[in-house]
Amino acid sequence: MMGLGQFDPTILWPETTTTSPAQLDASDDDEFDESLRAKTPNVSPVQIAAGDVIVVAESDQFFTPEGADAIRDAVAALESLDQVDRVLWMDRAPMLNIFGLPEPILPQRNASPARFQAAKERALANPLIGGQLLSSDAKTLLLMVRIDWLFVTDDDDCTDALREAATAAVADHPGVEMKFQVTGEVPIRVSWAASTRDNERKYQMIGYSIALVIAYILFRGLSSVVIVALAPCFGVFWTLGLLHYLGFADNPFNSVIVPVLLCMVGFTDGVHMMVQIRRHRAEGMSATDAARLSIREVGLACWLTSLTTAIGFGSLALAHHEIVREFGYCCVIGVMMTFISVVTVIPLACASPLGRNVHSGYGHNLIDKNLSKISVVIEFVLRHFRKVSVAAIIVTLVLAAMTLQLRPDQRLTSNMSSGSESAMALAHIDKQFGGMETAEVTVQWRKEVASNDAEIGRVVAEVDDLLRSEPLIGNPLSIRSLIDALPGDGDPGTRMSLLELLPPPLKRAYFVPERRIAKVVMRLQDVGIASYGPVFQRIEQGLETIRRSHPNFRLELTGSAIGRWKNLYRIVVDLAFSLGTATLIIFAVLTFVYRSLRLGLISMIPNLFPLAMTGFILLVTGENLEMVSVCAFTVCLGIAVDDTIHFLTRYREELKTAPNGTEAIRRAFVGVGTALVMTTIVLIIGFSTALLSDARDHRIFAAMGILTIGSALFADLVMLPALLQRFAHQKETENEAAAP
């Protein structure tokens, strides 16, 4: 976010003197910086929208004798709690009368219905209450609670305890129907943490159980399933212990995504290893010889898949966001631990008494029985390899170009359950008040402008009108709002002197004369920063127009949401940079290992197609590019390249004995087809369990994983054989395969 001291005058300031631009910039910045450093009286400004916790009260009886008593008792019950410092609500809003006398909004119980109706109208007309603490239909009331953290001992002290206290107080008024919910910064964080804890074990157990059941159906042997499952289990166990030791345990993606992800990655390599061991055992080899030969056959492929997956994850370390960087580190650690587990645990277990009957059921699982039907695909591809290869390249490039059209986005409730109390209360505030989060336009003027100059009021009024013209901007609040609420007529400029009649804490919330600044505060809904992008652009253009009419003023749009909007381009940069870097490194690694630039280039299409397809589906379904999407894209690259490596490794091995390249492709297809289909099925089922999560981020991650893994299988069984047949010349690849 660009602070006032970092303001670029070339954007908003015209060249009105003969001074050079550099000199003008420096003098203007010095002048405004000086104003910000000015000493201010020791007066705490009133903050209407500030509160650690927001208690949302809903009722249509606030302006009735019974309802007024009930809400007063609810507030008293809240303030009686040790952890509550104070509560700001409608009845304690700052006074706007010119004498500063206390004037509670709600009348006493014995007041007439007419007085209650007048109080309701007066509350809605008060700019500090209507649209700020009381909804326009007078059925929703916000209680802004400040917490005394010295007395907080449990999460419930900031959530359930507040709601229960208010509800219990209203229960003493049987004729009143009033509902309470809690939201705000603290409850949102608590809700996110609770959702993460709930999901951590539940969805891991669901995913692991389903994966084991499917593996048993595919392998048709209990010992094979147990051995394959041991490797990822050990890998996850070692990884989580290491992450706790290194201090990465609090990362929001580590509780659900990392364990499931590592289990899926470990299971993938484990299946390839187990398929080879079972094949050799079925051919009559001893357990030790079968394990030793299988390591030689697929060990390199497993190492390459782990290396390239780690590269994909490691590219996240280049991201600007700390959570994304930590997630990348954790995945790299996990992939390495899982690889060590796969190449040690599975061979050792197969050579032990547990692996005595590991080949039981070989050749009778669903994939082996139907592989001949799947082989029809390879024959079709080899007959039409030119058309298929050209289509693969064109489709991949087109989908990749469309993926680049994804817009960055971010919202407060992305990692929360949509059914949680905090999320529902926040959605209600968005609807009734125009949003919970705030941003502001800072109006600053030069020294020659007096603090009571009428031009200040006119500029603020123009900014206020600009903000009110945007439907997504909720209830702007400024000195213009305060002046308009005072008795008398006239425009805000001619009535600037009335500000002196307001209580200092109230006035200074929006007007600080010694610093030569005024603020216009607005509310923002949690609909995603992408939706606000065009709004903020129009506001900045409108501010530029206002500034041109008032050259002695500087206007700036500020706030945490504005900062996120201005910095969201980094999400796109992070994605492009991390994916680009990972792709180039993976290309270099494959080129070096296979000693073929041609094979390295061929591998790029089946590796990029799954990502391009996933991005295209996100685009057409109206999704945006969020932080979880950046993580998912990079993770998916690491997973997608695994199948390509296994196919290419087997293809090069078959070149040594096959009569020609076409036959080598057929043998590679048959040799790894079973493992590719089996791992894809298990991975998709494993990721699909995260679709049951309450957290939107987890569901997006899982959906992207499923789309990428399914697309990767298609790319490696259809596109890759066609590309090899079209571009991998037989003589060249045979020579490369024979090279030491």
Side-chain angles (χ1 to χ4, degrees):
M1 180 175 63
M2 184 173 66
L4 290 175
Q6 299 169 304
F7 173 71
D8 182 5
T10 61
I11 299 176
L12 299 181
W13 282 88
E15 296 183 16
T16 55
T17 69
T18 57
T19 309
S20 68
Q23 292 172 329
L24 180 62
D25 292 353
S27 62
D28 286 344
D29 276 342
D30 290 343
E31 178 180 351
F32 284 113
D33 288 343
E34 178 186 356
S35 72
L36 293 177
R37 291 191 295 268
K39 292 184 179 180
T40 61
N42 188 21
V43 177
S44 299
V46 173
Q47 296 183 358
I48 297 297
D52 299 313
V53 179
I54 301 175
V55 178
V56 182
E58 296 180 59
S59 176
D60 57 1
Q61 298 175 278
F62 291 128
F63 292 91
T64 64
E66 298 81 6
D69 282 350
I71 191 61
R72 285 195 178 105
D73 287 349
V75 173
L78 289 173
E79 293 186 327
S80 68
L81 299 175
D82 293 337
Q83 68 268 29
V84 174
D85 182 30
R86 62 183 181 274
V87 178
L88 174 65
W89 67 296
M90 173 178 65
D91 227 23
R92 294 180 184 167
M95 297 301 102
L96 284 176
N97 62 69
I98 61 176
F99 303 105
L101 299 176
E103 187 181 359
I105 293 296
L106 290 176
Q108 296 301 316
R109 180 181 179 85
N110 56 0
S112 65
R115 285 194 60 189
F116 275 103
Q117 180 62 30
K120 176 180 176 180
E121 295 173 357
R122 188 170 66 253
L124 293 174
N126 189 321
L128 302 176
I129 299 176
Q132 304 295 334
L133 299 174
L134 181 68
S135 62
S136 58
D137 60 4
K139 295 182 179 180
T140 303
L141 185 61
L142 301 185
L143 312 179
M144 317 300 290
V145 180
R146 279 290 187 184
I147 298 295
D148 187 342
W149 296 105
L150 183 63
F151 296 96
V152 175
T153 59
D154 189 81
D155 288 346
D156 289 346
D157 291 342
C158 300
T159 54
D160 295 346
L162 303 182
R163 182 186 62 257
E164 291 169 0
T167 302
V170 173
D172 294 334
H173 302 268
V176 176
E177 293 184 6
M178 196 172 294
K179 183 178 72 172
F180 295 94
Q181 290 179 302
V182 293
T183 188
E185 180 181 356
V186 174
I188 285 175
R189 291 179 180 272
V190 170
S191 176
W192 167 79
S195 177
T196 300
R197 289 193 299 268
D198 292 342
N199 289 336
E200 182 171 4
R201 291 184 177 86
K202 180 169 62 175
Y203 296 113
Q204 286 182 40
M205 293 305 299
I206 293 174
Y208 303 157
S209 300
I210 294 178
L212 289 176
V213 171
I214 297 300
Y216 178 76
I217 295 174
L218 295 177
F219 277 126
R220 299 296 293 272
L222 181 60
S223 60
S224 300
V225 175
V226 172
I227 293 174
V228 171
L230 283 176
C233 287
F234 273 96
V236 170
F237 178 76
W238 296 341
T239 300
L240 293 180
L242 205 54
L243 296 184
H244 278 277
Y245 177 76
L246 296 175
F248 291 146
D250 293 332
N251 189 285
F253 292 111
N254 289 350
S255 59
V256 177
I257 299 299
V258 169
V260 173
L261 183 63
L262 294 183
C263 277
M264 298 301 105
V265 172
F267 199 91
T268 300
D269 286 340
V271 166
H272 283 280
M273 181 78 70
M274 181 56 68
V275 167
Q276 291 300 104
I277 293 175
R278 281 161 55 87
R279 177 180 290 119
H280 295 314
R281 289 297 309 278
E283 293 171 353
M285 283 190 183
S286 66
T288 303
D289 291 340
R292 184 183 296 113
L293 181 58
S294 297
I295 291 177
R296 286 202 298 266
E297 290 175 338
V298 301
L300 175 62
C302 290
W303 164 244
L304 284 177
T305 57
S306 297
L307 179 61
T308 52
T309 302
I311 290 171
F313 294 151
S315 66
L316 293 175
L318 304 174
H320 291 85
H321 203 291
E322 182 180 1
I323 291 178
V324 177
R325 291 199 304 271
E326 285 189 0
F327 179 64
Y329 300 147
C330 296
C331 288
V332 170
I333 294 171
V335 168
M336 292 297 101
M337 291 295 100
T338 304
F339 168 74
I340 295 173
S341 178
V342 167
V343 298
T344 56
V345 172
I346 291 180
L348 289 174
C350 287
S352 71
L354 179 62
R356 185 182 300 112
N357 297 317
V358 74
H359 57 291
S360 175
Y362 177 76
H364 300 289
N365 64 65
L366 296 177
I367 306 301
D368 288 330
K369 288 181 178 179
N370 294 279
L371 191 60
S372 59
K373 299 179 182 178
I374 302 175
S375 298
V376 175
V377 175
I378 193 64
E379 298 302 328
F380 173 84
V381 170
L382 292 177
R383 284 198 306 270
H384 305 280
F385 68 91
R386 287 186 175 84
K387 295 180 180 179
V388 173
S389 59
V390 172
I393 296 173
I394 294 176
V395 170
T396 300
L397 294 178
V398 171
L399 294 181
M402 298 185 69
T403 298
L404 295 178
Q405 304 302 313
L406 285 170
R407 296 188 304 166
D409 197 9
Q410 190 176 23
R411 62 183 67 192
L412 295 175
T413 54
S414 291
N415 52 9
M416 291 173 55
S417 167
S418 58
S420 67
E421 179 182 354
S422 296
M424 292 190 295
L426 179 58
H428 186 72
I429 291 178
D430 284 347
K431 180 180 179 181
Q432 297 295 333
F433 295 88
M436 181 187 75
E437 192 173 14
T438 61
E440 61 188 39
V441 173
T442 301
V443 179
Q444 197 170 13
W445 52 90
R446 289 176 171 174
K447 290 181 178 179
E448 52 265 32
V449 179
S451 60
N452 60 351
D453 194 305
E455 190 176 8
I456 298 175
R458 296 190 182 99
V459 171
V460 171
E462 291 181 30
V463 172
D464 189 86
D465 290 338
L466 172 65
L467 298 180
R468 292 181 185 277
S469 67
E470 294 290 344
L472 286 180
I473 299 298
N475 302 316
L477 192 57
S478 64
I479 57 173
R480 188 259 187 94
S481 309
L482 304 181
I483 293 174
D484 287 349
L486 295 175
D489 297 321
D491 67 85
T494 59
R495 305 180 69 204
M496 279 290 294
S497 59
L498 293 178
L499 286 177
E500 298 302 321
L501 301 177
L502 296 175
L506 175 58
K507 179 182 68 175
R508 297 183 67 80
Y510 309 100
F511 182 73
V512 187
E514 61 274 8
R515 290 189 173 180
R516 304 198 302 277
I517 61 172
K519 297 179 181 179
V520 184
V521 181
M522 64 188 121
R523 288 179 176 267
L524 305 176
Q525 302 176 40
D526 187 39
V527 295
I529 293 298
S531 300
Y532 274 100
V535 176
F536 293 153
Q537 289 176 350
R538 289 194 297 269
I539 290 175
E540 289 195 328
Q541 293 170 359
L543 295 179
E544 166 66 7
T545 301
I546 296 173
R547 198 276 317 152
R548 291 184 183 278
S549 302
H550 304 276
N552 287 328
F553 286 76
R554 186 177 73 175
L555 310 175
E556 185 180 5
L557 187 61
T558 62
S560 59
I562 310 303
R564 294 202 306 274
W565 167 61
K566 290 183 177 179
N567 292 328
L568 266 181
Y569 76 93
R570 288 185 174 180
I571 289 183
V572 181
V573 173
D574 285 346
L575 175 65
F577 192 59
S578 62
L579 286 181
T581 302
T583 301
L584 291 177
I585 295 176
I586 291 173
F587 162 72
V589 169
L590 296 183
T591 300
F592 174 77
V593 171
Y594 294 136
R595 301 180 185 180
S596 171
L597 177 63
R598 190 181 300 273
L599 287 181
L601 291 172
I602 288 173
S603 69
M604 293 186 69
I605 295 299
N607 289 342
L608 292 179
F609 171 77
L611 306 182
M613 174 60 74
T614 302
F616 168 73
I617 293 176
L618 287 179
L619 182 66
V620 298
T621 55
E623 295 292 336
N624 295 310
L625 190 63
E626 303 182 39
M627 185 178 68
V628 65
S629 307
V630 176
C631 295
F633 268 119
T634 311
V635 168
C636 291
L637 174 62
I639 294 177
V641 76
D642 290 358
D643 290 350
T644 304
I645 289 174
H646 281 289
F647 195 104
L648 287 177
T649 301
R650 187 57 178 263
Y651 166 72
R652 285 175 54 81
E653 290 294 324
E654 296 296 343
L655 276 175
K656 298 176 182 178
T657 58
N660 52 58
T662 301
E663 184 60 27
I665 294 173
R666 286 195 183 94
R667 293 182 181 181
F669 183 94
V670 174
V672 300
T674 299
L676 292 183
V677 175
M678 289 174 66
T679 55
T680 298
I681 292 174
V682 175
L683 283 171
I684 288 178
I685 292 175
F687 271 102
S688 66
T689 60
L691 292 174
L692 304 175
S693 174
D694 293 335
R696 180 173 173 271
D697 278 356
H698 294 163
R699 294 196 299 272
I700 292 176
F701 192 98
M704 292 182 65
I706 292 171
L707 291 173
T708 302
I709 294 167
S711 302
L713 180 66
F714 174 81
D716 289 310
L717 295 185
V718 176
M719 293 182 173
L720 183 56
L723 292 167
L724 289 173
Q725 180 73 2
R726 175 66 179 84
F727 297 106
H729 297 307
Q730 177 182 346
K731 182 177 180 180
E732 179 183 345
T733 52
E734 286 177 348
N735 292 337
E736 291 169 351

